[in-house]
Amino acid sequence: MRFLGALVLIFFAAGTASLMAQRISITPTEIYPGENVLTINAPGGIRSVRVVLSPRIESMAEVRKTGIIGGCPDSRDIEMRVDFATTITPLLGLVYIERCNGVVDSLPLPTLRSWNLDEVPFPDAEVGEEVCRPFQVTLSGGISGLEGSGFVVTGGDDLYLDSVSIPEPQARLRYSLPPPLTIKAGSVYRYNVCFKAEKPGIYKFPVITWIRREQPAGGYTNYPVADTGIIRVLPKRSNVSLSEIPLDTMSRDNPTPVTDPTIFRSVAVPNAVIPPKGKFFVGSYDLLGLTAGYSVADELLIFAGGAVPTPDDWAGVNGDMFGAWSVGAKLGTQLFGLLNIAVGYHYGQSILDKEFTTDELDSRITVSVPYGAISFGTDDRRVSVTAGYAFKRHSTWITTDPVLLPFRDDYRKDAAFGALGGDYRFAKHWKVATEFAMMQTVDVAPIIFTARYFTNTFAIDFGAAYAGLTLNNAEAPPFPVLPMLSAIFVF
């Protein structure tokens, strides 16, 4: 009988050991604020892991490295980030482990210690002042909280404080005994946070205590728990005495500021600046060239232009009719205070029709022009570079060939171009402006100099264009200086 009893005990112990060997587990047994690495152990192999978070914490936690697992390992590490330190629900979620034999087990996620987080107000401070407030963390019966005047442990195990940090450059820490150190149960550790007021405003900043983990895992040895400090900084009071100043009803002592309203060009070529949204402009160059534009947004300007026939052309006295038009848009932005960039596009046509070539248009040039521009400076002084490529298609009625009958010749004459321009303000209503341009198929590189008188609503340029700088061994025009006059009105 004694032998039989011993044999029964042996079989019972073996069965209990076998059951224990099949149990699954999750370690560590506590989750901490911040990053966590959880190890799942399941003898017999793991086929997949799935975590279902509580609906109350789904937006404040993230689980990684779950799903189907190859090779049926006996253990699996998953990662979990927790973005809160106060327990919102007793059950954070469930872990479903499918073993390689097809059995699905479920375990609750490890528990999270709950911290009571406070917002600690500082007294108002003026610029230049420094104010300090005491802070504390309270741990009572296994539940801890930041209370704003020290570190109190009234129950549970000792805690180890690694450090305290504040990601606010105007705040600093003052200790009687700096961390790292052990906080004994029932003892008080106090420290102060001081704020040096530098600029007016309302400041809200975390005060982070880094607590040593009782169960380190995955290389994480501590975790953050944070109070929040808040302070209002006021401008420094002035001690300057005040005296009565008569009201200036004529605004002689407070003149209205004046800004050139045509900052979107140097002289004639577009630069990289866009007028404010809602601005509309219309203008004329040398009376015959017309231009108009509208700012759809602070970054987008659309505009159109053209050259109308002269009165002689209208009456048919000269027998020739010339006209041109174009439409376009410019998209730009300001990068670093003084630097603007823009890209643009123009499409246009010019025509020439002579009276003696009946029923035939003597010349039509169709042009498509993408370009880019860079401007540097302020509205008082700015330099700009504009460059692009003109895709030009010519259609010309040829009547001068000594052998062939009159015929139409269609051909392309594409060309790159570039312009350099700038302006400088030397008085309240006055600027000087200049512009230099070059184009591959044009034998003249004109230079324009103007003086500009402007108010907040219009600008008038008068000056001259010098056409004596020639290219490709071309002859200079007999009179290389041409008058330049423009007027642009902005609404």
Side-chain angles (χ1 to χ4, degrees):
M1 292 296 294
R2 290 180 180 176
F3 175 75
L4 181 60
L7 189 62
V8 170
L9 288 174
I10 291 172
F11 275 105
F12 178 78
T16 302
S18 176
L19 289 173
M20 293 293 291
Q22 298 301 316
R23 289 181 179 175
I24 59 176
S25 64
I26 301 177
T27 56
T29 59
E30 182 179 359
I31 288 177
Y32 303 95
E35 292 289 346
N36 296 268
V37 175
L38 304 177
T39 301
I40 300 171
N41 293 290
I46 302 172
R47 177 176 294 167
S48 68
V49 174
R50 181 169 62 94
V51 176
V52 178
L53 296 174
S54 170
R56 298 183 66 183
I57 72 165
E58 282 181 333
S59 62
M60 296 179 288
E62 179 187 14
V63 180
R64 303 182 294 270
K65 295 190 176 179
T66 58
I68 298 175
I69 302 166
C72 282
D74 289 339
S75 66
R76 172 69 171 183
D77 288 345
I78 65 173
E79 297 175 353
M80 183 174 182
R81 191 189 77 249
V82 176
D83 295 332
F84 57 93
T86 300
T87 298
I88 301 172
T89 175
L91 180 63
L92 300 182
L94 293 174
V95 183
Y96 294 90
I97 303 106
E98 181 185 4
R99 294 198 253 186
C100 293
N101 60 7
V103 176
V104 178
D105 298 287
S106 64
L107 288 177
L109 281 168
T111 58
L112 173 73
R113 178 176 294 182
S114 182
W115 294 81
N116 298 323
L117 308 180
D118 287 344
E119 188 172 88
V120 180
F122 283 65
D124 290 347
E126 289 185 11
V127 171
E129 290 183 343
E130 184 177 54
V131 293
C132 300
R133 283 285 283 142
F135 277 67
Q136 75 175 22
V137 179
T138 302
L139 178 64
S140 178
I143 299 178
S144 56
L146 289 166
E147 298 294 345
S149 61
F151 196 130
V152 181
V153 183
T154 58
D157 298 330
D158 299 342
L159 290 182
Y160 193 89
L161 177 64
D162 275 344
S163 63
V164 183
S165 63
I166 307 176
E168 166 56 58
Q170 297 179 79
R172 64 186 182 92
L173 293 158
R174 290 175 58 184
Y175 305 102
S176 297
L177 183 64
L181 47 79
T182 300
I183 310 299
K184 296 291 184 181
S187 64
V188 177
Y189 176 76
R190 294 184 175 89
Y191 63 97
N192 286 281
V193 176
C194 297
F195 191 94
K196 179 62 179 253
E198 296 178 358
K199 293 189 298 184
I202 296 177
Y203 297 86
K204 195 173 183 179
F205 53 91
V207 179
I208 306 170
T209 54
W210 295 90
I211 310 298
R212 183 73 56 88
R213 299 189 186 207
E214 296 178 4
Q215 302 177 60
Y220 300 106
T221 60
N222 57 24
Y223 61 96
V225 181
D227 253 350
T228 300
I230 184 168
I231 184 172
R232 181 174 63 172
V233 178
L234 305 174
K236 191 174 183 64
R237 294 188 182 94
S238 175
N239 295 322
V240 178
S241 60
L242 300 178
S243 59
E244 184 179 355
I245 300 175
L247 181 63
D248 177 22
T249 58
M250 300 299 293
S251 298
R252 287 188 294 267
D253 298 329
N254 299 286
T256 303
V258 180
T259 302
D260 180 3
T262 63
I263 55 175
F264 46 83
R265 49 95 190 227
S266 295
V267 178
V269 176
N271 61 15
V273 181
I274 307 292
K277 178 181 177 180
K279 288 293 184 180
F280 170 74
F281 69 87
V282 61
S284 172
Y285 285 89
D286 288 330
L287 301 180
L288 299 181
L290 302 178
T291 182
Y294 177 72
S295 291
V296 179
D298 289 338
E299 298 81 18
L300 178 62
L301 172 68
I302 57 174
F303 44 90
V308 298
T310 64
D312 283 347
D313 297 334
W314 301 341
V317 175
N318 291 338
D320 297 340
M321 196 279 286
F322 169 81
W325 61 268
S326 72
V327 293
K330 183 171 68 172
L331 183 69
T333 187
Q334 187 177 58
L335 289 183
F336 310 112
L338 299 180
L339 182 65
N340 290 72
I341 61 171
V343 293
Y345 175 79
H346 274 261
Y347 178 82
Q349 281 189 5
S350 66
I351 58 172
L352 174 63
D353 192 11
K354 297 184 178 182
E355 186 177 2
F356 69 86
T357 53
T358 307
D359 298 329
E360 289 290 346
L361 186 67
D362 292 85
S363 175
R364 176 187 286 112
I365 301 175
T366 304
V367 61
S368 181
V369 185
Y371 66 91
I374 299 176
S375 297
F376 182 83
T378 67
D379 294 346
D380 292 334
R381 60 187 73 186
R382 180 176 282 116
V383 62
S384 301
V385 177
T386 303
Y389 200 83
F391 297 90
K392 297 192 299 178
R393 181 177 182 83
H394 291 245
S395 177
T396 305
W397 182 247
I398 305 297
T399 60
T400 57
D401 193 288
V403 177
L404 300 176
L405 294 174
F407 66 96
R408 181 163 296 280
D409 187 13
D410 289 298
Y411 59 94
R412 300 198 63 86
K413 205 171 184 180
D414 300 339
F417 70 91
L420 173 65
D423 57 57
Y424 175 78
R425 180 175 183 166
F426 63 90
K428 181 178 180 180
H429 291 276
W430 289 93
K431 276 184 177 181
V432 289
T434 184
E435 200 165 71
F436 170 73
M438 293 182 63
M439 192 172 194
Q440 282 181 324
T441 56
V442 178
D443 293 333
V444 175
I447 305 175
I448 301 173
F449 299 93
T450 68
R452 178 177 304 162
Y453 176 82
F454 60 89
T455 69
N456 285 322
T457 57
F458 70 88
I460 297 177
D461 282 58
F462 53 92
Y466 176 70
L469 182 61
T470 60
L471 307 173
N472 306 319
N473 296 319
E475 293 186 5
F479 190 74
V481 179
L482 302 173
M484 172 68 186
L485 178 66
S486 72
I488 297 179
F489 297 84
V490 181
F491 307 95

